[in-house]
Amino acid sequence: MKKFAGAILLLSISMVVVTSCGNNSGTTTATNDSTTTHDSMQNTTKPGVTSADWGESDGKKVFSYTLTNKNNVQVKITNYGGTITSWTTPDRNGNKSSIVLGFDNLQGYLAHPPYFGALIGRYGNRIANGKFTLNGKTYTLATNNGKNALHGGLKGFDKVVWDATPSADNTASLTLNYLSKDGEEGYPGNLNATVKYTLTDADELEIEYTAKTDKATPVNLTNHSYFNLTGDVNNTILNETLQIDADRYTPVDTTLIPTGKLEPVAGTPFDFRQPHKIGERIDQVPGGYDHNFVLNGGGSVRRVATLTDSLSGRKLEVYSDQPGLQFYTGNFLDGTIKTSDGKPINKHAALCLETQHFPDSPNQPGFPSTILQPGTSYHTVTRYKVSVEK
Ligand code: GLA
């Protein structure tokens, strides 16, 4: 007991040191147990950011950062993969649980779950045959999804350690930076990527992505959070209700590469212009939903999708300036991965709403361009807003 109390004191001190240092300068010796200690302290956490030592990857220190707003909503993010590991919000009865899939230790992520909560780059979703031609030169990418390149390749932005800088005041934001070197995973140019997460007092998680390059390169950054608004993976997401503001979608071939056509959703199971239960027509979609929707409007941040859950009363609204949204119903989850408390994560245990440019754009002249030129800036914003309907 005395030893336990001593450990808490030590960890508390190390957390203060790390927080005040403002980045991952490696001042603690805490282990994964710190997460538990950290949790117990969170009940009293003030708005702002705290951090706990999560171990190491690639010789770099990994931390778990807790962003807390004035409503005591908390989002945890690790600089390993820039990953959102939990998002704790109340249901209509005030009971709190996390609405995203995630683990409470680094080991869970080092086992390579399918992108749970991670930042995705340099190119979100697929590039056909892992090849594209730019300015007359053909580039060959690392392939990791049959013959295609998926989510940045074998070691995408989800598997690297980002440099992290938490906000120093009582705002809840975390800025992450990663320099992707020229040739990494086959992509041209040094790409300097910065992602700022901000948890606002309006219970929105804003994700602001910026990037610069020194050679023309495709860029398509997104976040791969898996949502289950019931807060319990024992419930599938098939009873949750979704609305997507898209008149068209991009049909795909058997390897999930777009055919290049933009087809109307009208009269298909892809018509979510009015809210529909996700399970209502999923049987008509072979394999389940894993499709890019062509969002209406564009150029500025607008609401693109709304997910509601009658069980918990929770509502998730997605706002973005992006042209596309990948709606994925966790079709490849099969129970082999377990939550930190041992529950199997089965098919349709969670869903993704990934704001993005269209898959395979570098090979699709009819799609909006994803090429970032040197001397210009990549900048995009997505906000996920959570509320409760009584
Ligand atoms: C994306 C893809 C899916 C799948 C998941 C990860 O959503 O579109 O096909 O690869 O990521 O398993």
Side-chain angles (χ1 to χ4, degrees):
M1 184 60 203
K2 206 170 165 193
K3 204 168 160 197
F4 180 58
I8 288 185
L9 181 66
L10 191 71
L11 288 168
S12 310
I13 292 167
S14 65
M15 281 165 55
V16 171
V17 171
V18 171
T19 305
S20 61
C21 280
N23 62 25
N24 52 354
S25 50
T27 44
T28 78
T29 52
T31 65
N32 293 315
D33 296 338
S34 61
T35 310
T36 313
T37 310
H38 198 63
D39 275 339
S40 64
M41 292 187 63
Q42 283 176 359
N43 296 329
T44 55
T45 305
K46 292 200 201 97
V49 184
T50 59
S51 60
D53 192 330
W54 249 27
E56 231 180 79
S57 176
D58 288 343
K60 292 186 186 145
K61 301 285 286 177
V62 175
F63 291 90
S64 170
Y65 296 89
T66 301
L67 280 59
T68 306
N69 71 5
K70 75 166 200 287
N71 309 321
N72 214 19
V73 166
Q74 292 189 318
V75 173
K76 291 190 184 192
I77 297 165
T78 173
N79 59 324
Y80 178 79
T83 304
I84 300 169
T85 63
S86 84
W87 183 345
T88 310
T89 71
D91 66 9
R92 68 159 69 80
N93 300 316
N95 297 319
K96 288 186 175 179
S97 48
S98 177
I99 56 163
V100 293
L101 294 186
F103 304 107
D104 60 14
N105 56 60
L106 178 59
Q107 280 65 27
Y109 295 96
L110 295 178
H112 298 167
Y115 309 98
F116 289 0
L119 289 180
I120 304 296
R122 183 179 299 203
Y123 196 93
N125 215 284
R126 292 172 179 78
I127 295 183
N129 303 310
K131 281 197 190 329
F132 65 92
T133 302
L134 183 56
N135 299 333
K137 185 169 173 195
T138 297
Y139 292 91
T140 302
L141 305 172
T143 50
N144 59 334
N145 188 248
K147 56 186 182 146
N148 301 325
L150 173 68
H151 292 332
L154 293 166
K155 188 168 182 178
F157 291 6
D158 58 297
K159 296 181 187 69
V160 301
V161 180
W162 295 63
D163 292 327
T165 311
S167 47
D169 53 15
N170 62 358
T171 59
S173 73
L174 181 71
T175 302
L176 299 169
N177 182 260
Y178 177 64
L179 175 65
S180 168
K181 295 267 174 64
D182 189 6
E184 190 175 288
E185 300 294 310
Y187 288 95
N190 291 293
L191 184 81
N192 196 339
T194 300
V195 178
K196 184 177 183 190
Y197 284 107
T198 304
L199 176 63
T200 72
D201 288 336
D203 297 341
E204 299 159 319
L205 183 63
E206 178 176 287
I207 315 178
E208 181 184 22
Y209 306 84
T210 47
K212 281 187 183 279
T213 185
D214 57 6
K215 278 186 198 164
T217 180
V219 183
N220 189 26
L221 306 182
T222 191
N223 176 276
H224 208 303
S225 285
Y226 285 71
F227 295 95
N228 180 325
L229 294 187
T230 72
D232 182 354
V233 295
N234 286 342
N235 303 315
T236 72
I237 44 77
L238 299 179
N239 285 324
E240 297 184 20
T241 298
L242 181 64
Q243 185 268 334
I244 304 176
D245 193 13
D247 293 341
R248 293 173 297 169
Y249 76 110
T250 51
V252 287
D253 68 14
T254 51
T255 69
L256 298 174
I257 295 294
T259 61
K261 294 198 178 117
L262 309 184
E263 294 279 359
V265 295
T268 77
F270 300 98
D271 191 350
F272 282 94
R273 290 172 298 175
Q274 296 301 317
H276 283 273
K277 276 209 172 159
I278 290 162
E280 189 186 315
R281 300 163 298 176
I282 197 169
D283 290 346
Q284 299 167 39
V285 182
Y289 294 101
D290 192 354
H291 293 80
N292 171 66
F293 286 70
V294 179
L295 298 169
N296 296 335
S300 58
V301 177
R302 75 281 194 209
R303 186 170 61 188
V304 297
T306 304
L307 179 69
T308 54
D309 167 46
S310 57
L311 206 63
S312 65
R314 291 191 183 96
K315 174 160 110 174
L316 174 76
E317 292 163 283
V318 185
Y319 296 79
S320 182
D321 55 11
Q322 289 289 280
L325 180 79
Q326 186 80 11
F327 169 42
Y328 169 59
T329 43
N331 313 322
F332 303 124
L333 302 172
D334 61 5
T336 47
I337 302 175
K338 311 246 179 333
T339 61
S340 293
D341 56 357
K343 292 181 185 168
I345 302 174
N346 292 313
K347 187 171 181 177
H348 306 320
L351 63 86
C352 303
L353 296 167
E354 302 156 64
T355 55
Q356 60 177 17
H357 265 258
F358 306 166
D360 197 34
S361 295
N363 294 309
Q364 303 273 359
F367 289 178
S369 173
T370 52
I371 305 302
L372 178 67
Q373 302 290 350
T376 65
S377 230
Y378 173 92
H379 180 255
T380 164
V381 173
T382 290
R383 285 198 301 269
Y384 294 97
K385 178 177 170 62
V386 176
S387 56
V388 180
E389 291 181 328
K390 298 281 174 193

